[in-house]
């Protein structure tokens, strides 16, 4: 059977599985819709969190980015895992003890203010929407390759599927479907990695194989360094001078952003106890780490294979996958010197080949000549990753609009049924909007997503952390901090992202910090502003201070409740 | 739970946090970023050590840190009698 048939079969089977699970566990009440009724075991919650978390960016895009940037790609690896340490140690247990549905709930109550809540709400919608846009591009890439259609049509198909899928489930359905999706995506990611590792270095564990030796006796990473420098690229494993500050800032923005992302935090409201919230974060990171330690190995293998396959080879001799990706427009070859060979080098004046980095994970098994069913499996895994994250995010957007905005601000008398309908309509609008934006996103999937993290880091993280660890923090401080933080970060990003029409040039960057890393500075500014303003304004009331004392001890955590 | 007890519980918690987060900082920002060049001079099999920390080692340590914290806090909760029944 060919790849196309295998893909149809495997993608079809996995979709049937998700739909079956979603119907089995579909949400009847608003509580089940928002926090799955609060009765999910830590292990299942850990898996669901991992699937929710590992998006098209982790699955499809990250290994590709590492593959093309070598050491600098580490920022994604450390940034997207290290945040869980912060989450488990600084946030999850306390927010679970607090026991409400959403981040704006916490902000609103801790800062005894409807304005604070509204600011948090707007930040939540803004952050989640940016993030969904990244997912839609990932879905588009996967579909365009697998159905061999142009990228825009791939996105349209993605919109339809995500829409159907997210509207049905609610948190309860989504949680159990995500457990299934985790299994599919981790299997699909590791199987090809094991194959390729065996093929190249004879070791079945890619994490170790990455440091192994090739058949000619040289270390894989040494060989890759040599291949790269011969073509004028930077050495794969070395840190460039300009990299250091950006790796530092981007890593930090991703870490603090992770700990501030509404769709991740809400996960810890779904377990029964405070103790479970801590453990659940540990399981989540364990499941995530399986993919995150495999990805750099995949990146190194893919890069080595790619350079050996295309560099200075005849265009007409290129394997099948090359022309198929050309159809989707994501590989472009322009024979500048008309010698019929592919010159793939760092110098833009001589280079003849451009490759969209997001295709690397999907193309990798084909480049390595793996069997057709493995390639089909990778497509299914990519869709699982993108769908599970998109669904989780859309749920946050829907919750924000129906629960936080509609019920608390616009229509307090809305019935439970009306609230569920509003939530589903909100999902529909959000997915269409995200799809349209996904057709023209600023940068690669992983980079778009990195922007969302910067926004989360600069708005929520300080407000939540200070709410728990600083009893003296008041509403004036928190609101001022959030507004200054997110405005500063958004302004810097818009100014320095040419795709967003900003006039900024790379020379103008502050300390050379790229827009992806500016969230770290935004977070520090938020912290300083919040602390300063709070000390100049009256302290919060005794009840609020008592509430802070109360969330610091685990005993007495009830189930998560509404209002 | 009385107030001095609560303060002691909280101080212990903060101490654990300080220690664990220092390790968190050292393996990622320290070994993986700030001192990566120096560590890259050391080879561990086919891996330059700094590169290994940035792409593998830091992540293993992160997972371990959370589980250590879970164990420490469960014990602390019990000893101060604030654990959930």
């Amino acid at each position: 059977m060919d790849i196309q048939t295998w893909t149809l079969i495997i993608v079809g089977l996995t979709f049937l599985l998700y739909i079956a699970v979603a119907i089995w566990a579909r949400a009847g009440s608003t509580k089940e819709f928002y926090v799955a009724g609060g009765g999910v075991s830590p292990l299942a919650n850990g898996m669901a969190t991992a699937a929710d978390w590992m998006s098209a960016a982790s699955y499809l895009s990250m290994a590709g980015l590492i593959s093309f940037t070598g050491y600098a790609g580490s920022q994604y690896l450390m940034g997207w895992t290290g945040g869980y340490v912060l989450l488990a140690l600084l946030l999850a247990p306390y927010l679970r003890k607090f026991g409400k549905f959403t981040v704006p709930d916490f902000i609103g109550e801790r800062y005894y203010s409807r304005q604070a809540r509204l600011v948090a709400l707007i930040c939540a919608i803004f952050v989640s929407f940016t993030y969904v846009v990244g997912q839609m591009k990932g879905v588009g890439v996967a579909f365009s390759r697998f159905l061999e259609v142009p990228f825009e049509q791939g996105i349209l198909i993605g919109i339809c599927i995500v829409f159907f899928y997210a509207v049905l489930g609610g948190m309860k359905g989504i949680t159990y479907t995500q457990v299934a999706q985790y299994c599919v995506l981790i299997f699909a990611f590791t199987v090809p990695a094991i194959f390729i590792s065996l093929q190249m270095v004879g070791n079945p564990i890619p994490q170790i194989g990455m440091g192994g030796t090739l058949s000619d006796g040289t270390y894989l990473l040494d060989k890759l360094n040599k291949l790269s420098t011969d073509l004028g690229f930077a050495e794969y494993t070395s840190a460039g001078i300009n990299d250091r500050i950006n790796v530092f800032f981007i890593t930090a923005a991703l870490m603090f952003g992770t700990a501030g992302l509404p769709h991740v935090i809400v996960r810890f409201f779904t377990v029964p106890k405070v103790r479970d919230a801590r453990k659940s974060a540990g399981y989540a990171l364990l499941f995530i780490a399986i993919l995150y330690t495999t990805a750099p190995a995949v990146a190194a293998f893919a890069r080595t294979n790619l350079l050996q396959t295309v560099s200075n080879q005849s265009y007409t001799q290129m394997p099948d996958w090359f022309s198929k990706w050309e159809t989707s427009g994501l590989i472009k070859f322009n024979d500048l010197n008309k010698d019929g060979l592919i010159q793939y080098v760092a110098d833009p004046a001589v280079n003849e080949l451009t490759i969209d980095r997001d295709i690397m994970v999907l193309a990798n098994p084909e480049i390595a000549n793996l069997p057709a069913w493995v390639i089909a499996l990778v497509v299914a895994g990519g869709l699982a990753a993108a769908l599970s994250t998109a669904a989780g995010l859309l749920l946050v957007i829907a919750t924000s609009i129906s629960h936080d905005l509609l019920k608390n601000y616009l229509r307090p008398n809305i019935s439970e049924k009306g609230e569920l309908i509003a939530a589903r309509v909100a999902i529909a609008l959000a997915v269409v909007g995200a799809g349209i934006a996904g057709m023209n996103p600023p940068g690669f999937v992983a980079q778009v997503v990195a922007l969302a993290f910067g926004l989360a880091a600069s708005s929520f993280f300080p407000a939540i952390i200070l709410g728990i660890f600083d009893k003296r923090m008041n509403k004036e401080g928190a609101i001022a901090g959030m507004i200054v933080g997110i405005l500063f970060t958004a302004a810097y990003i818009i100014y320095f992202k040419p795709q967003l029409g900003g006039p900024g040039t790379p020379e103008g960057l502050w300390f050379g910090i790229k827009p992806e890393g500016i969230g770290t500075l935004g977070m520090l500014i938020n912290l300083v502003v919040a602390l300063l303003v709070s000390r100049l304004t009256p302290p919060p009331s005794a009840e609020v201070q008592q509430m802070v004392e109360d969330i610091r001890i685990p005993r007495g955590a009830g189930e998560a409740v509404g209002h | 739970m009385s107030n001095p007890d609560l303060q002691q519980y909280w101080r212990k918690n903060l101490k654990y946090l300080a220690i664990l987060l220092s390790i968190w900082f050292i393996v990622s920002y320290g070994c993986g970023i700030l001192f990566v060049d120096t560590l890259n001079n050391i080879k561990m099999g086919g891996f330059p050590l700094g590169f290994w920390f940035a792409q593998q080692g830091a992540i293993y340590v992160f997972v371990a840190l959370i589980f250590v914290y879970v164990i420490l806090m469960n014990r602390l909760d019990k000893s101060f009698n604030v654990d959930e029944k």
Side-chain angles (χ1 to χ4, degrees), chain A residues 307-370:
Chain A
L307 293 181
Q308 285 175 335
T309 309
V310 302
S311 183
N312 270 323
Q313 304 295 318
S314 159
Y315 176 65
T316 50
Q317 303 282 302
M318 277 296 113
D320 204 26
W321 59 264
F322 194 91
S323 57
K324 282 192 182 142
W325 282 108
E326 276 188 307
T327 320
S328 70
L330 298 169
I331 282 186
K332 292 193 188 82
F333 172 63
N334 178 9
D335 199 2
L336 292 175
N337 59 2
K338 310 275 181 244
D339 64 353
L341 300 178
I342 297 173
Q343 267 82 43
Y344 180 51
V345 292
D347 182 356
V350 188
N351 181 40
E352 301 175 342
L353 182 67
T354 44
I355 303 174
D356 188 304
R357 301 173 194 190
D358 288 343
I359 72 172
M360 283 312 290
V361 167
L362 289 175
N364 189 31
E366 291 179 274
I367 299 175
N369 276 317
L370 295 185

Side-chain angles (χ1 to χ4, degrees), chain A residues 60-304:
Chain A
L60 292 172
S61 186
M62 187 177 66
L65 265 179
I66 301 169
S67 201
F68 281 75
T69 54
Y71 166 79
S74 314
Q75 65 206 21
Y76 297 107
L77 293 167
M78 289 189 287
W80 280 335
T81 52
Y84 272 84
V85 179
L86 298 173
L87 200 57
L89 272 53
L90 302 177
L91 301 179
Y94 309 109
L95 291 176
R96 176 62 195 86
K97 174 69 194 291
F98 173 72
K100 286 283 162 63
F101 285 159
T102 64
V103 175
D105 271 340
F106 174 77
I107 301 275
E109 202 132 323
R110 168 60 183 84
Y111 297 116
Y112 46 93
S113 151
R114 285 166 66 81
Q115 290 95 318
R117 192 191 165 101
L118 192 62
V119 172
L121 178 60
I122 292 165
C123 294
I125 295 176
F126 193 47
V127 169
S128 305
F129 188 76
T130 313
Y131 203 159
V132 181
V133 171
Q135 302 311 310
M136 296 314 294
K137 168 151 190 228
V139 174
V141 171
F143 276 113
S144 71
R145 168 62 186 86
F146 130 65
L147 298 172
E148 287 169 31
V149 294
F151 171 64
E152 285 74 17
Q153 283 178 35
I155 281 205
L156 282 179
I157 298 167
I159 291 178
C160 299
I161 289 179
V162 173
F163 172 71
F164 169 76
Y165 169 83
V167 165
L168 197 74
M171 192 57 151
K172 191 165 171 226
I174 284 178
T175 301
Y176 288 106
T177 316
Q178 281 171 338
V179 172
Q181 284 167 331
Y182 176 77
C183 299
V184 170
L185 82 87
I186 204 69
F187 184 71
F189 198 83
T190 48
V191 165
I194 292 169
F195 267 103
I196 295 172
S197 183
L198 278 170
Q199 200 179 63
M200 292 181 77
V201 293
N203 189 323
I205 304 169
Q207 285 86 341
I208 301 173
M210 187 186 173
T213 48
L214 296 163
S215 52
D216 62 1
T218 52
Y219 281 121
L220 173 91
L221 290 172
D222 289 344
K223 172 90 170 189
L224 180 52
N225 278 340
K226 176 143 192 345
L227 283 171
S228 305
T229 44
D230 285 351
L231 298 173
F233 297 104
E235 212 175 61
Y236 191 79
T237 59
S238 299
I241 301 164
N242 294 329
D243 285 343
R244 198 91 37 89
I245 189 158
N246 272 306
V247 171
F248 193 100
F249 270 82
I250 295 175
T251 303
L254 296 180
M255 282 189 184
F256 293 109
T258 300
L261 273 184
H263 80 288
V264 177
I265 292 175
V266 73
R267 281 273 159 210
F268 297 98
F269 297 117
T270 57
V271 291
K273 288 180 176 146
V274 172
R275 201 167 62 217
D276 297 333
R278 294 183 192 133
K279 212 193 301 173
S280 191
Y283 282 133
L285 183 57
L286 180 67
F287 293 130
I288 291 167
I290 298 174
L291 189 141
Y292 272 62
T293 52
T294 308
V298 170
F301 296 143
R303 185 71 180 166
T304 312

